[in-house]
Amino acid sequence: MGKRVALALASGAARGLAHVGVIDELNKQGYEICSIAGSSMGALVGSFYAAGTFEAYKEWAVSLDKYDIFKLVDFNFGLHGFIKGDKVFSEMHTLGFIPNKNIEDLAIPLAIVASDIVNYNEVVFTSGNLFDALRASISIPNVFTPKELNGVFLVDGGVVNPLPINRTPKCDVDLVIAVNLNANIPYTQPRSAKPKMEQGKVGKKFELWSKKWDEQFGPSNSKQKPNKLGYFETLSRSLQLMQDQLIRHTLMATPPDVLIQIPSNACGTFEFYKAKQMIDLGRAKCKEALLELKNN
């Protein structure tokens, strides 16, 4: 069986770090990624691979702890979202993960999905400024401020197409592989999953903030009863439900050759400090799916 693949990478916030593990395992097993389509974090990770900055990003991501993530959050008290999103994007731009390039100039054909909330349209970027397209695609509604571009406001691609199998750029491939970050399947947190922070790095102010943050915007694998859910967890679960239904329709309409399933409760929306855990999970789930493919 040939090993040229088109890759569809789903939205899913911090669970999107599992995409890194999937790509790692595909490379390890000799698969050639020839085209990528992604929504939100899927678009972001896919762009790092297409731009040749994937390894540098992976090294940076696994180095971050909870306090590092906190420092990258630029809170906003406007009407359109409580996080601007500019700070973390500027950091990734400065570090070179998002180069000053147009999408059409990347080494691998890439499609980035966003949602036009003015005209109620899906927007697919296959050309134009990479930074602008990514900033639009990751804008979770009511969380990140929308990206204004060409007179319209763009938000997270997961609103309209959370698993863009139908948007993978056309090229000669042997397999279409899709990575679903919203699978309703069991997941047990590994014992070593509790995040660590350097001694002396945080003070009481951050500890109080961290406790309050977890109460209000806690992880999606919380076992809280519905009447105890905070604002953000209610929003997060609602978006996951919507995306789950959209993905079900996508898989029926355009079934991939290989489907890699990442549990929806593997980590919370902002738990980017669990990078190693998510990368390991992505690698393991990819390995399982490829083994099943070989055995069929």
Side-chain angles (χ1 to χ4, degrees), residues 125-160:
F125 294 95
T126 56
S127 62
N129 185 268
L130 176 64
F131 187 95
D132 287 344
L134 289 173
R135 178 61 183 81
S137 186
I138 61 90
S139 300
I140 303 172
N142 292 331
V143 179
F144 290 100
T145 54
K147 172 67 177 177
E148 186 176 2
L149 194 63
N150 299 324
V152 298
F153 287 94
L154 301 174
V155 298
D156 198 297
V159 170
V160 290

PDB file of all heavy atoms in Angstrom, residues 125-160:
ATOM      1  N   PHE A 125      -9.013  29.310   3.292  1.00  0.00           N
ATOM      2  CA  PHE A 125      -7.816  29.995   2.800  1.00  0.00           C
ATOM      3  C   PHE A 125      -6.846  28.971   2.214  1.00  0.00           C
ATOM      4  O   PHE A 125      -6.362  28.083   2.915  1.00  0.00           O
ATOM      5  CB  PHE A 125      -7.115  30.737   3.939  1.00  0.00           C
ATOM      6  CG  PHE A 125      -7.886  31.878   4.524  1.00  0.00           C
ATOM      7  CD1 PHE A 125      -8.676  31.687   5.657  1.00  0.00           C
ATOM      8  CD2 PHE A 125      -7.832  33.144   3.964  1.00  0.00           C
ATOM      9  CE1 PHE A 125      -9.384  32.740   6.222  1.00  0.00           C
ATOM     10  CE2 PHE A 125      -8.537  34.205   4.513  1.00  0.00           C
ATOM     11  CZ  PHE A 125      -9.322  34.002   5.649  1.00  0.00           C
ATOM     12  N   THR A 126      -6.543  29.106   0.930  1.00  0.00           N
ATOM     13  CA  THR A 126      -5.496  28.307   0.304  1.00  0.00           C
ATOM     14  C   THR A 126      -4.408  29.212  -0.278  1.00  0.00           C
ATOM     15  O   THR A 126      -3.443  28.734  -0.876  1.00  0.00           O
ATOM     16  CB  THR A 126      -6.058  27.414  -0.814  1.00  0.00           C
ATOM     17  OG1 THR A 126      -6.752  28.232  -1.763  1.00  0.00           O
ATOM     18  CG2 THR A 126      -7.015  26.372  -0.239  1.00  0.00           C
ATOM     19  N   SER A 127      -4.592  30.494  -0.080  1.00  0.00           N
ATOM     20  CA  SER A 127      -3.611  31.484  -0.506  1.00  0.00           C
ATOM     21  C   SER A 127      -3.754  32.700   0.397  1.00  0.00           C
ATOM     22  O   SER A 127      -4.698  32.794   1.188  1.00  0.00           O
ATOM     23  CB  SER A 127      -3.822  31.873  -1.976  1.00  0.00           C
ATOM     24  OG  SER A 127      -5.097  32.461  -2.153  1.00  0.00           O
ATOM     25  N   GLY A 128      -2.842  33.618   0.274  1.00  0.00           N
ATOM     26  CA  GLY A 128      -2.874  34.817   1.097  1.00  0.00           C
ATOM     27  C   GLY A 128      -2.024  34.688   2.352  1.00  0.00           C
ATOM     28  O   GLY A 128      -1.358  33.669   2.576  1.00  0.00           O
ATOM     29  N   ASN A 129      -2.055  35.719   3.169  1.00  0.00           N
ATOM     30  CA  ASN A 129      -1.188  35.810   4.341  1.00  0.00           C
ATOM     31  C   ASN A 129      -1.461  34.707   5.358  1.00  0.00           C
ATOM     32  O   ASN A 129      -2.591  34.549   5.831  1.00  0.00           O
ATOM     33  CB  ASN A 129      -1.367  37.184   4.992  1.00  0.00           C
ATOM     34  CG  ASN A 129      -0.413  37.397   6.152  1.00  0.00           C
ATOM     35  OD1 ASN A 129      -0.752  37.115   7.293  1.00  0.00           O
ATOM     36  ND2 ASN A 129       0.784  37.883   5.860  1.00  0.00           N
ATOM     37  N   LEU A 130      -0.441  33.945   5.700  1.00  0.00           N
ATOM     38  CA  LEU A 130      -0.574  32.807   6.614  1.00  0.00           C
ATOM     39  C   LEU A 130      -0.996  33.266   8.001  1.00  0.00           C
ATOM     40  O   LEU A 130      -1.900  32.671   8.619  1.00  0.00           O
ATOM     41  CB  LEU A 130       0.747  32.044   6.686  1.00  0.00           C
ATOM     42  CG  LEU A 130       0.820  30.883   7.674  1.00  0.00           C
ATOM     43  CD1 LEU A 130      -0.157  29.778   7.291  1.00  0.00           C
ATOM     44  CD2 LEU A 130       2.248  30.330   7.747  1.00  0.00           C
ATOM     45  N   PHE A 131      -0.369  34.306   8.519  1.00  0.00           N
ATOM     46  CA  PHE A 131      -0.640  34.793   9.867  1.00  0.00           C
ATOM     47  C   PHE A 131      -2.111  35.181  10.010  1.00  0.00           C
ATOM     48  O   PHE A 131      -2.779  34.784  10.971  1.00  0.00           O
ATOM     49  CB  PHE A 131       0.274  35.973  10.179  1.00  0.00           C
ATOM     50  CG  PHE A 131       0.194  36.461  11.598  1.00  0.00           C
ATOM     51  CD1 PHE A 131       1.086  36.006  12.557  1.00  0.00           C
ATOM     52  CD2 PHE A 131      -0.774  37.381  11.991  1.00  0.00           C
ATOM     53  CE1 PHE A 131       1.015  36.462  13.875  1.00  0.00           C
ATOM     54  CE2 PHE A 131      -0.855  37.840  13.289  1.00  0.00           C
ATOM     55  CZ  PHE A 131       0.052  37.374  14.238  1.00  0.00           C
ATOM     56  N   ASP A 132      -2.631  35.945   9.056  1.00  0.00           N
ATOM     57  CA  ASP A 132      -4.019  36.411   9.129  1.00  0.00           C
ATOM     58  C   ASP A 132      -5.001  35.240   9.090  1.00  0.00           C
ATOM     59  O   ASP A 132      -5.991  35.219   9.844  1.00  0.00           O
ATOM     60  CB  ASP A 132      -4.320  37.364   7.969  1.00  0.00           C
ATOM     61  CG  ASP A 132      -3.674  38.726   8.142  1.00  0.00           C
ATOM     62  OD1 ASP A 132      -3.260  39.049   9.273  1.00  0.00           O
ATOM     63  OD2 ASP A 132      -3.561  39.459   7.139  1.00  0.00           O
ATOM     64  N   ALA A 133      -4.746  34.288   8.223  1.00  0.00           N
ATOM     65  CA  ALA A 133      -5.642  33.139   8.102  1.00  0.00           C
ATOM     66  C   ALA A 133      -5.673  32.323   9.391  1.00  0.00           C
ATOM     67  O   ALA A 133      -6.742  31.896   9.847  1.00  0.00           O
ATOM     68  CB  ALA A 133      -5.208  32.258   6.934  1.00  0.00           C
ATOM     69  N   LEU A 134      -4.508  32.115   9.987  1.00  0.00           N
ATOM     70  CA  LEU A 134      -4.446  31.344  11.228  1.00  0.00           C
ATOM     71  C   LEU A 134      -5.119  32.078  12.371  1.00  0.00           C
ATOM     72  O   LEU A 134      -5.834  31.477  13.179  1.00  0.00           O
ATOM     73  CB  LEU A 134      -2.987  31.039  11.589  1.00  0.00           C
ATOM     74  CG  LEU A 134      -2.278  30.018  10.704  1.00  0.00           C
ATOM     75  CD1 LEU A 134      -0.803  29.946  11.074  1.00  0.00           C
ATOM     76  CD2 LEU A 134      -2.922  28.644  10.827  1.00  0.00           C
ATOM     77  N   ARG A 135      -4.890  33.376  12.448  1.00  0.00           N
ATOM     78  CA  ARG A 135      -5.502  34.164  13.525  1.00  0.00           C
ATOM     79  C   ARG A 135      -7.027  34.105  13.443  1.00  0.00           C
ATOM     80  O   ARG A 135      -7.711  34.076  14.474  1.00  0.00           O
ATOM     81  CB  ARG A 135      -5.008  35.616  13.456  1.00  0.00           C
ATOM     82  CG  ARG A 135      -5.617  36.547  14.493  1.00  0.00           C
ATOM     83  CD  ARG A 135      -5.295  36.112  15.914  1.00  0.00           C
ATOM     84  NE  ARG A 135      -5.954  36.983  16.881  1.00  0.00           N
ATOM     85  CZ  ARG A 135      -7.233  36.886  17.257  1.00  0.00           C
ATOM     86  NH1 ARG A 135      -7.991  35.934  16.737  1.00  0.00           N
ATOM     87  NH2 ARG A 135      -7.737  37.707  18.155  1.00  0.00           N
ATOM     88  N   ALA A 136      -7.545  34.049  12.226  1.00  0.00           N
ATOM     89  CA  ALA A 136      -8.995  33.916  12.051  1.00  0.00           C
ATOM     90  C   ALA A 136      -9.460  32.528  12.460  1.00  0.00           C
ATOM     91  O   ALA A 136     -10.452  32.371  13.174  1.00  0.00           O
ATOM     92  CB  ALA A 136      -9.366  34.188  10.596  1.00  0.00           C
ATOM     93  N   SER A 137      -8.748  31.515  12.044  1.00  0.00           N
ATOM     94  CA  SER A 137      -9.192  30.137  12.236  1.00  0.00           C
ATOM     95  C   SER A 137      -9.237  29.708  13.692  1.00  0.00           C
ATOM     96  O   SER A 137     -10.033  28.833  14.052  1.00  0.00           O
ATOM     97  CB  SER A 137      -8.285  29.178  11.453  1.00  0.00           C
ATOM     98  OG  SER A 137      -8.768  27.859  11.506  1.00  0.00           O
ATOM     99  N   ILE A 138      -8.420  30.329  14.568  1.00  0.00           N
ATOM    100  CA  ILE A 138      -8.358  29.889  15.976  1.00  0.00           C
ATOM    101  C   ILE A 138      -9.267  30.697  16.901  1.00  0.00           C
ATOM    102  O   ILE A 138      -9.254  30.484  18.117  1.00  0.00           O
ATOM    103  CB  ILE A 138      -6.914  29.916  16.525  1.00  0.00           C
ATOM    104  CG1 ILE A 138      -6.322  31.330  16.487  1.00  0.00           C
ATOM    105  CG2 ILE A 138      -6.032  28.939  15.776  1.00  0.00           C
ATOM    106  CD1 ILE A 138      -6.530  32.172  17.705  1.00  0.00           C
ATOM    107  N   SER A 139     -10.062  31.604  16.345  1.00  0.00           N
ATOM    108  CA  SER A 139     -10.838  32.538  17.179  1.00  0.00           C
ATOM    109  C   SER A 139     -12.105  31.904  17.739  1.00  0.00           C
ATOM    110  O   SER A 139     -13.204  32.087  17.198  1.00  0.00           O
ATOM    111  CB  SER A 139     -11.178  33.800  16.389  1.00  0.00           C
ATOM    112  OG  SER A 139     -10.005  34.452  15.973  1.00  0.00           O
ATOM    113  N   ILE A 140     -11.966  31.164  18.837  1.00  0.00           N
ATOM    114  CA  ILE A 140     -13.114  30.517  19.475  1.00  0.00           C
ATOM    115  C   ILE A 140     -14.139  31.586  19.852  1.00  0.00           C
ATOM    116  O   ILE A 140     -13.815  32.557  20.535  1.00  0.00           O
ATOM    117  CB  ILE A 140     -12.681  29.748  20.736  1.00  0.00           C
ATOM    118  CG1 ILE A 140     -11.609  28.719  20.400  1.00  0.00           C
ATOM    119  CG2 ILE A 140     -13.884  29.075  21.404  1.00  0.00           C
ATOM    120  CD1 ILE A 140     -10.990  28.063  21.625  1.00  0.00           C
ATOM    121  N   PRO A 141     -15.402  31.448  19.422  1.00  0.00           N
ATOM    122  CA  PRO A 141     -16.416  32.476  19.708  1.00  0.00           C
ATOM    123  C   PRO A 141     -16.564  32.760  21.202  1.00  0.00           C
ATOM    124  O   PRO A 141     -16.574  31.844  22.023  1.00  0.00           O
ATOM    125  CB  PRO A 141     -17.704  31.856  19.147  1.00  0.00           C
ATOM    126  CG  PRO A 141     -17.242  30.910  18.098  1.00  0.00           C
ATOM    127  CD  PRO A 141     -15.937  30.344  18.601  1.00  0.00           C
ATOM    128  N   ASN A 142     -16.652  34.053  21.535  1.00  0.00           N
ATOM    129  CA  ASN A 142     -16.804  34.549  22.910  1.00  0.00           C
ATOM    130  C   ASN A 142     -15.573  34.322  23.784  1.00  0.00           C
ATOM    131  O   ASN A 142     -15.590  34.648  24.963  1.00  0.00           O
ATOM    132  CB  ASN A 142     -18.026  33.933  23.597  1.00  0.00           C
ATOM    133  CG  ASN A 142     -19.327  34.395  22.999  1.00  0.00           C
ATOM    134  OD1 ASN A 142     -19.408  35.499  22.469  1.00  0.00           O
ATOM    135  ND2 ASN A 142     -20.344  33.561  23.049  1.00  0.00           N
ATOM    136  N   VAL A 143     -14.525  33.750  23.213  1.00  0.00           N
ATOM    137  CA  VAL A 143     -13.273  33.561  23.948  1.00  0.00           C
ATOM    138  C   VAL A 143     -12.208  34.473  23.353  1.00  0.00           C
ATOM    139  O   VAL A 143     -11.742  35.410  23.984  1.00  0.00           O
ATOM    140  CB  VAL A 143     -12.820  32.084  23.920  1.00  0.00           C
ATOM    141  CG1 VAL A 143     -11.497  31.916  24.679  1.00  0.00           C
ATOM    142  CG2 VAL A 143     -13.886  31.187  24.523  1.00  0.00           C
ATOM    143  N   PHE A 144     -11.808  34.210  22.105  1.00  0.00           N
ATOM    144  CA  PHE A 144     -10.865  35.067  21.406  1.00  0.00           C
ATOM    145  C   PHE A 144     -11.639  36.106  20.590  1.00  0.00           C
ATOM    146  O   PHE A 144     -12.707  35.806  20.040  1.00  0.00           O
ATOM    147  CB  PHE A 144      -9.986  34.257  20.451  1.00  0.00           C
ATOM    148  CG  PHE A 144      -9.002  33.367  21.151  1.00  0.00           C
ATOM    149  CD1 PHE A 144      -9.260  32.015  21.297  1.00  0.00           C
ATOM    150  CD2 PHE A 144      -7.823  33.874  21.667  1.00  0.00           C
ATOM    151  CE1 PHE A 144      -8.359  31.183  21.940  1.00  0.00           C
ATOM    152  CE2 PHE A 144      -6.919  33.058  22.319  1.00  0.00           C
ATOM    153  CZ  PHE A 144      -7.185  31.711  22.460  1.00  0.00           C
ATOM    154  N   THR A 145     -11.079  37.296  20.507  1.00  0.00           N
ATOM    155  CA  THR A 145     -11.713  38.315  19.675  1.00  0.00           C
ATOM    156  C   THR A 145     -11.641  37.886  18.214  1.00  0.00           C
ATOM    157  O   THR A 145     -10.644  37.311  17.774  1.00  0.00           O
ATOM    158  CB  THR A 145     -11.018  39.681  19.852  1.00  0.00           C
ATOM    159  OG1 THR A 145      -9.611  39.538  19.601  1.00  0.00           O
ATOM    160  CG2 THR A 145     -11.229  40.223  21.239  1.00  0.00           C
ATOM    161  N   PRO A 146     -12.703  38.129  17.434  1.00  0.00           N
ATOM    162  CA  PRO A 146     -12.691  37.744  16.016  1.00  0.00           C
ATOM    163  C   PRO A 146     -11.602  38.488  15.253  1.00  0.00           C
ATOM    164  O   PRO A 146     -11.103  39.532  15.687  1.00  0.00           O
ATOM    165  CB  PRO A 146     -14.082  38.151  15.527  1.00  0.00           C
ATOM    166  CG  PRO A 146     -14.906  38.282  16.755  1.00  0.00           C
ATOM    167  CD  PRO A 146     -13.968  38.730  17.835  1.00  0.00           C
ATOM    168  N   LYS A 147     -11.241  37.937  14.097  1.00  0.00           N
ATOM    169  CA  LYS A 147     -10.289  38.581  13.201  1.00  0.00           C
ATOM    170  C   LYS A 147     -11.067  39.328  12.123  1.00  0.00           C
ATOM    171  O   LYS A 147     -11.856  38.725  11.382  1.00  0.00           O
ATOM    172  CB  LYS A 147      -9.372  37.537  12.556  1.00  0.00           C
ATOM    173  CG  LYS A 147      -8.462  38.081  11.463  1.00  0.00           C
ATOM    174  CD  LYS A 147      -7.424  39.049  12.026  1.00  0.00           C
ATOM    175  CE  LYS A 147      -6.491  39.518  10.917  1.00  0.00           C
ATOM    176  NZ  LYS A 147      -5.499  40.515  11.422  1.00  0.00           N
ATOM    177  N   GLU A 148     -10.870  40.634  12.036  1.00  0.00           N
ATOM    178  CA  GLU A 148     -11.515  41.401  10.979  1.00  0.00           C
ATOM    179  C   GLU A 148     -10.622  41.392   9.745  1.00  0.00           C
ATOM    180  O   GLU A 148      -9.445  41.758   9.802  1.00  0.00           O
ATOM    181  CB  GLU A 148     -11.763  42.847  11.420  1.00  0.00           C
ATOM    182  CG  GLU A 148     -12.565  43.647  10.406  1.00  0.00           C
ATOM    183  CD  GLU A 148     -12.897  45.055  10.874  1.00  0.00           C
ATOM    184  OE1 GLU A 148     -12.465  45.430  11.980  1.00  0.00           O
ATOM    185  OE2 GLU A 148     -13.599  45.762  10.127  1.00  0.00           O
ATOM    186  N   LEU A 149     -11.174  40.933   8.638  1.00  0.00           N
ATOM    187  CA  LEU A 149     -10.387  40.802   7.413  1.00  0.00           C
ATOM    188  C   LEU A 149     -11.287  41.071   6.213  1.00  0.00           C
ATOM    189  O   LEU A 149     -12.347  40.455   6.064  1.00  0.00           O
ATOM    190  CB  LEU A 149      -9.800  39.393   7.328  1.00  0.00           C
ATOM    191  CG  LEU A 149      -8.682  39.134   6.320  1.00  0.00           C
ATOM    192  CD1 LEU A 149      -7.447  39.965   6.660  1.00  0.00           C
ATOM    193  CD2 LEU A 149      -8.314  37.650   6.301  1.00  0.00           C
ATOM    194  N   ASN A 150     -10.877  42.002   5.392  1.00  0.00           N
ATOM    195  CA  ASN A 150     -11.628  42.350   4.180  1.00  0.00           C
ATOM    196  C   ASN A 150     -13.084  42.707   4.482  1.00  0.00           C
ATOM    197  O   ASN A 150     -14.014  42.331   3.746  1.00  0.00           O
ATOM    198  CB  ASN A 150     -11.576  41.205   3.164  1.00  0.00           C
ATOM    199  CG  ASN A 150     -10.156  40.889   2.727  1.00  0.00           C
ATOM    200  OD1 ASN A 150      -9.324  41.780   2.596  1.00  0.00           O
ATOM    201  ND2 ASN A 150      -9.877  39.612   2.512  1.00  0.00           N
ATOM    202  N   GLY A 151     -13.290  43.397   5.602  1.00  0.00           N
ATOM    203  CA  GLY A 151     -14.615  43.900   5.929  1.00  0.00           C
ATOM    204  C   GLY A 151     -15.540  42.927   6.612  1.00  0.00           C
ATOM    205  O   GLY A 151     -16.711  43.245   6.838  1.00  0.00           O
ATOM    206  N   VAL A 152     -15.052  41.731   6.937  1.00  0.00           N
ATOM    207  CA  VAL A 152     -15.894  40.760   7.644  1.00  0.00           C
ATOM    208  C   VAL A 152     -15.186  40.304   8.913  1.00  0.00           C
ATOM    209  O   VAL A 152     -13.974  40.459   9.069  1.00  0.00           O
ATOM    210  CB  VAL A 152     -16.235  39.527   6.771  1.00  0.00           C
ATOM    211  CG1 VAL A 152     -17.028  39.943   5.539  1.00  0.00           C
ATOM    212  CG2 VAL A 152     -14.977  38.772   6.360  1.00  0.00           C
ATOM    213  N   PHE A 153     -15.963  39.732   9.826  1.00  0.00           N
ATOM    214  CA  PHE A 153     -15.406  39.201  11.064  1.00  0.00           C
ATOM    215  C   PHE A 153     -15.346  37.677  10.969  1.00  0.00           C
ATOM    216  O   PHE A 153     -16.353  37.023  10.688  1.00  0.00           O
ATOM    217  CB  PHE A 153     -16.259  39.624  12.262  1.00  0.00           C
ATOM    218  CG  PHE A 153     -16.109  41.072  12.613  1.00  0.00           C
ATOM    219  CD1 PHE A 153     -16.992  42.016  12.110  1.00  0.00           C
ATOM    220  CD2 PHE A 153     -15.070  41.497  13.439  1.00  0.00           C
ATOM    221  CE1 PHE A 153     -16.856  43.358  12.426  1.00  0.00           C
ATOM    222  CE2 PHE A 153     -14.932  42.835  13.767  1.00  0.00           C
ATOM    223  CZ  PHE A 153     -15.815  43.767  13.246  1.00  0.00           C
ATOM    224  N   LEU A 154     -14.160  37.147  11.205  1.00  0.00           N
ATOM    225  CA  LEU A 154     -13.925  35.712  11.072  1.00  0.00           C
ATOM    226  C   LEU A 154     -13.653  35.087  12.433  1.00  0.00           C
ATOM    227  O   LEU A 154     -12.926  35.661  13.253  1.00  0.00           O
ATOM    228  CB  LEU A 154     -12.749  35.449  10.142  1.00  0.00           C
ATOM    229  CG  LEU A 154     -12.890  35.994   8.717  1.00  0.00           C
ATOM    230  CD1 LEU A 154     -11.600  35.792   7.939  1.00  0.00           C
ATOM    231  CD2 LEU A 154     -14.054  35.339   7.992  1.00  0.00           C
ATOM    232  N   VAL A 155     -14.242  33.913  12.657  1.00  0.00           N
ATOM    233  CA  VAL A 155     -14.015  33.179  13.903  1.00  0.00           C
ATOM    234  C   VAL A 155     -13.608  31.746  13.574  1.00  0.00           C
ATOM    235  O   VAL A 155     -13.439  31.364  12.415  1.00  0.00           O
ATOM    236  CB  VAL A 155     -15.268  33.187  14.815  1.00  0.00           C
ATOM    237  CG1 VAL A 155     -15.630  34.605  15.226  1.00  0.00           C
ATOM    238  CG2 VAL A 155     -16.454  32.496  14.128  1.00  0.00           C
ATOM    239  N   ASP A 156     -13.485  30.965  14.625  1.00  0.00           N
ATOM    240  CA  ASP A 156     -12.993  29.592  14.579  1.00  0.00           C
ATOM    241  C   ASP A 156     -13.606  28.761  13.449  1.00  0.00           C
ATOM    242  O   ASP A 156     -14.824  28.709  13.281  1.00  0.00           O
ATOM    243  CB  ASP A 156     -13.323  28.932  15.920  1.00  0.00           C
ATOM    244  CG  ASP A 156     -12.520  27.684  16.186  1.00  0.00           C
ATOM    245  OD1 ASP A 156     -12.664  26.723  15.422  1.00  0.00           O
ATOM    246  OD2 ASP A 156     -11.760  27.664  17.168  1.00  0.00           O
ATOM    247  N   GLY A 157     -12.740  28.080  12.698  1.00  0.00           N
ATOM    248  CA  GLY A 157     -13.213  27.224  11.620  1.00  0.00           C
ATOM    249  C   GLY A 157     -14.075  26.076  12.095  1.00  0.00           C
ATOM    250  O   GLY A 157     -14.897  25.540  11.336  1.00  0.00           O
ATOM    251  N   GLY A 158     -13.916  25.700  13.378  1.00  0.00           N
ATOM    252  CA  GLY A 158     -14.700  24.607  13.928  1.00  0.00           C
ATOM    253  C   GLY A 158     -16.182  24.902  14.032  1.00  0.00           C
ATOM    254  O   GLY A 158     -16.983  23.980  14.204  1.00  0.00           O
ATOM    255  N   VAL A 159     -16.570  26.162  13.900  1.00  0.00           N
ATOM    256  CA  VAL A 159     -17.991  26.525  13.964  1.00  0.00           C
ATOM    257  C   VAL A 159     -18.747  25.940  12.771  1.00  0.00           C
ATOM    258  O   VAL A 159     -19.900  25.525  12.895  1.00  0.00           O
ATOM    259  CB  VAL A 159     -18.154  28.058  14.015  1.00  0.00           C
ATOM    260  CG1 VAL A 159     -19.608  28.470  13.841  1.00  0.00           C
ATOM    261  CG2 VAL A 159     -17.602  28.595  15.337  1.00  0.00           C
ATOM    262  N   VAL A 160     -18.094  25.899  11.609  1.00  0.00           N
ATOM    263  CA  VAL A 160     -18.777  25.401  10.405  1.00  0.00           C
ATOM    264  C   VAL A 160     -18.232  24.068   9.909  1.00  0.00           C
ATOM    265  O   VAL A 160     -18.946  23.275   9.309  1.00  0.00           O
ATOM    266  CB  VAL A 160     -18.712  26.431   9.249  1.00  0.00           C
ATOM    267  CG1 VAL A 160     -19.574  27.637   9.550  1.00  0.00           C
ATOM    268  CG2 VAL A 160     -17.277  26.850   8.973  1.00  0.00           C
TER     269      VAL A 160
END
